[in-house]
Structure formats: structure tokens, C-alpha cells
Short mmCIF file of all heavy atoms in Angstrom, two decimals:
data_model
loop_
_atom_site.label_atom_id
_atom_site.label_comp_id
_atom_site.label_asym_id
_atom_site.label_seq_id
_atom_site.Cartn_x
_atom_site.Cartn_y
_atom_site.Cartn_z
N GLU A 1 26.98 44.53 -11.24
CA GLU A 1 25.62 44.39 -11.74
C GLU A 1 25.06 43.00 -11.49
O GLU A 1 23.85 42.85 -11.27
CB GLU A 1 25.59 44.73 -13.24
CG GLU A 1 24.20 44.92 -13.78
CD GLU A 1 24.19 45.51 -15.18
OE1 GLU A 1 25.14 46.22 -15.55
OE2 GLU A 1 23.21 45.23 -15.90
N ARG A 2 25.91 41.99 -11.53
CA ARG A 2 25.42 40.63 -11.28
C ARG A 2 24.88 40.51 -9.85
O ARG A 2 23.80 39.94 -9.64
CB ARG A 2 26.56 39.63 -11.50
CG ARG A 2 26.16 38.18 -11.22
CD ARG A 2 27.29 37.24 -11.61
NE ARG A 2 26.97 35.87 -11.27
CZ ARG A 2 27.26 35.29 -10.11
NH1 ARG A 2 27.90 35.98 -9.17
NH2 ARG A 2 26.94 34.04 -9.87
N THR A 3 25.62 41.03 -8.90
CA THR A 3 25.15 41.00 -7.51
C THR A 3 23.87 41.81 -7.35
O THR A 3 22.94 41.39 -6.66
CB THR A 3 26.23 41.57 -6.57
OG1 THR A 3 27.47 40.89 -6.80
CG2 THR A 3 25.83 41.39 -5.11
N LEU A 4 23.82 42.95 -8.01
CA LEU A 4 22.64 43.81 -7.94
C LEU A 4 21.40 43.10 -8.47
O LEU A 4 20.33 43.15 -7.85
CB LEU A 4 22.89 45.11 -8.71
CG LEU A 4 21.77 46.14 -8.70
CD1 LEU A 4 21.55 46.68 -7.30
CD2 LEU A 4 22.10 47.29 -9.67
N ARG A 5 21.54 42.43 -9.60
CA ARG A 5 20.38 41.72 -10.17
C ARG A 5 19.96 40.56 -9.26
O ARG A 5 18.77 40.28 -9.12
CB ARG A 5 20.71 41.22 -11.57
CG ARG A 5 20.87 42.34 -12.58
CD ARG A 5 20.99 41.86 -14.01
NE ARG A 5 21.15 42.97 -14.92
CZ ARG A 5 20.14 43.72 -15.38
NH1 ARG A 5 18.91 43.46 -15.00
NH2 ARG A 5 20.37 44.73 -16.20
N GLY A 6 20.93 39.91 -8.64
CA GLY A 6 20.60 38.86 -7.69
C GLY A 6 19.83 39.40 -6.50
O GLY A 6 18.90 38.76 -6.00
N VAL A 7 20.20 40.60 -6.06
CA VAL A 7 19.49 41.25 -4.94
C VAL A 7 18.05 41.55 -5.33
O VAL A 7 17.13 41.36 -4.53
CB VAL A 7 20.22 42.54 -4.52
CG1 VAL A 7 19.32 43.44 -3.69
CG2 VAL A 7 21.48 42.21 -3.73
N VAL A 8 17.85 42.02 -6.56
CA VAL A 8 16.48 42.31 -7.02
C VAL A 8 15.63 41.05 -6.98
O VAL A 8 14.48 41.07 -6.50
CB VAL A 8 16.51 42.89 -8.45
CG1 VAL A 8 15.09 42.98 -9.02
CG2 VAL A 8 17.15 44.27 -8.45
N TRP A 9 16.18 39.93 -7.42
CA TRP A 9 15.42 38.68 -7.38
C TRP A 9 15.21 38.20 -5.94
O TRP A 9 14.18 37.59 -5.63
CB TRP A 9 16.10 37.61 -8.22
CG TRP A 9 15.87 37.83 -9.69
CD1 TRP A 9 16.74 38.34 -10.60
CD2 TRP A 9 14.65 37.58 -10.40
NE1 TRP A 9 16.15 38.42 -11.83
CE2 TRP A 9 14.87 37.95 -11.74
CE3 TRP A 9 13.41 37.07 -10.03
CZ2 TRP A 9 13.87 37.84 -12.71
CZ3 TRP A 9 12.42 36.96 -11.00
CH2 TRP A 9 12.65 37.33 -12.32
N SER A 10 16.15 38.50 -5.05
CA SER A 10 15.95 38.18 -3.63
C SER A 10 14.77 38.97 -3.08
O SER A 10 13.94 38.43 -2.32
CB SER A 10 17.21 38.50 -2.83
OG SER A 10 18.28 37.66 -3.19
N LEU A 11 14.69 40.24 -3.45
CA LEU A 11 13.58 41.08 -2.99
C LEU A 11 12.25 40.61 -3.57
O LEU A 11 11.23 40.55 -2.87
CB LEU A 11 13.83 42.53 -3.38
CG LEU A 11 14.98 43.24 -2.66
CD1 LEU A 11 15.27 44.59 -3.31
CD2 LEU A 11 14.66 43.43 -1.18
N LEU A 12 12.25 40.27 -4.86
CA LEU A 12 11.02 39.78 -5.48
C LEU A 12 10.59 38.45 -4.88
O LEU A 12 9.38 38.20 -4.72
CB LEU A 12 11.21 39.65 -7.00
CG LEU A 12 11.45 40.96 -7.76
CD1 LEU A 12 11.58 40.69 -9.25
CD2 LEU A 12 10.33 41.95 -7.49
N LEU A 13 11.56 37.61 -4.55
CA LEU A 13 11.23 36.34 -3.89
C LEU A 13 10.62 36.61 -2.51
O LEU A 13 9.63 35.96 -2.11
CB LEU A 13 12.48 35.47 -3.76
CG LEU A 13 12.29 34.12 -3.05
CD1 LEU A 13 11.30 33.25 -3.82
CD2 LEU A 13 13.64 33.41 -2.90
N ALA A 14 11.18 37.57 -1.79
CA ALA A 14 10.63 37.92 -0.47
C ALA A 14 9.20 38.42 -0.60
O ALA A 14 8.30 38.02 0.15
CB ALA A 14 11.51 38.98 0.19
N GLY A 15 8.96 39.31 -1.56
CA GLY A 15 7.63 39.84 -1.77
C GLY A 15 6.63 38.77 -2.18
O GLY A 15 5.49 38.77 -1.70
N SER A 16 7.05 37.86 -3.04
CA SER A 16 6.14 36.81 -3.49
C SER A 16 5.83 35.83 -2.37
O SER A 16 4.69 35.36 -2.24
CB SER A 16 6.73 36.07 -4.71
OG SER A 16 7.97 35.49 -4.39
N CYS A 17 6.82 35.50 -1.54
CA CYS A 17 6.58 34.60 -0.40
C CYS A 17 5.60 35.21 0.59
O CYS A 17 4.64 34.55 1.03
CB CYS A 17 7.89 34.26 0.30
SG CYS A 17 8.98 33.17 -0.64
N LEU A 18 5.82 36.48 0.94
CA LEU A 18 4.92 37.14 1.88
C LEU A 18 3.53 37.31 1.28
O LEU A 18 2.52 37.11 1.96
CB LEU A 18 5.50 38.50 2.28
CG LEU A 18 6.80 38.47 3.09
CD1 LEU A 18 7.32 39.89 3.31
CD2 LEU A 18 6.60 37.77 4.43
N GLY A 19 3.48 37.69 0.00
CA GLY A 19 2.19 37.85 -0.66
C GLY A 19 1.43 36.55 -0.75
O GLY A 19 0.21 36.51 -0.50
N ALA A 20 2.11 35.46 -1.09
CA ALA A 20 1.46 34.16 -1.19
C ALA A 20 0.92 33.72 0.16
O ALA A 20 -0.19 33.16 0.25
CB ALA A 20 2.45 33.12 -1.73
N LEU A 21 1.67 33.98 1.22
CA LEU A 21 1.21 33.61 2.56
C LEU A 21 -0.03 34.43 2.95
O LEU A 21 -0.97 33.89 3.55
CB LEU A 21 2.33 33.83 3.56
CG LEU A 21 2.15 33.22 4.96
CD1 LEU A 21 1.85 31.73 4.87
CD2 LEU A 21 3.39 33.47 5.80
N SER A 22 -0.04 35.71 2.59
CA SER A 22 -1.20 36.54 2.88
C SER A 22 -2.43 36.05 2.11
O SER A 22 -3.54 36.01 2.64
CB SER A 22 -0.91 38.01 2.51
OG SER A 22 0.04 38.57 3.38
N VAL A 23 -2.23 35.70 0.84
CA VAL A 23 -3.34 35.19 0.03
C VAL A 23 -3.89 33.90 0.62
O VAL A 23 -5.11 33.71 0.72
CB VAL A 23 -2.88 34.97 -1.43
CG1 VAL A 23 -3.95 34.23 -2.22
CG2 VAL A 23 -2.56 36.31 -2.09
N PHE A 24 -3.00 33.01 1.03
CA PHE A 24 -3.44 31.74 1.62
C PHE A 24 -4.21 31.97 2.91
O PHE A 24 -5.27 31.36 3.14
CB PHE A 24 -2.22 30.85 1.88
CG PHE A 24 -2.58 29.50 2.45
CD1 PHE A 24 -3.03 28.49 1.64
CD2 PHE A 24 -2.47 29.26 3.83
CE1 PHE A 24 -3.38 27.25 2.16
CE2 PHE A 24 -2.81 28.04 4.36
CZ PHE A 24 -3.27 27.02 3.52
N GLN A 25 -3.71 32.87 3.75
CA GLN A 25 -4.40 33.16 5.01
C GLN A 25 -5.78 33.77 4.75
O GLN A 25 -6.76 33.43 5.43
CB GLN A 25 -3.55 34.12 5.85
CG GLN A 25 -4.09 34.37 7.25
CD GLN A 25 -3.26 35.40 8.01
OE1 GLN A 25 -2.93 36.45 7.47
NE2 GLN A 25 -2.91 35.09 9.24
#
């Protein structure tokens, strides 16, 4: 479960980075 929760935060970080870049553009 620890690895799984870390993966979820990796995915959320990916989504937030891409979303922030789209907003900036």
C-alpha cells in the first residue's frame, strides 16, 4: 500500500505539472 500511495502522488504530480504548463501557455 505504501508503494501504491506513492504511485498515486506520482500521477497527481504528473497531472498538476502538465496542467500548470497548459495554464501558463
Side-chain angles (χ1 to χ4, degrees):
E1 193 169 333
R2 178 174 176 270
T3 307
L4 182 65
R5 292 189 180 278
V7 163
V8 171
W9 283 103
S10 294
L11 292 170
L12 295 182
L13 179 62
S16 59
C17 289
L18 294 175
L21 193 54
S22 291
V23 170
F24 182 80
Q25 186 184 47

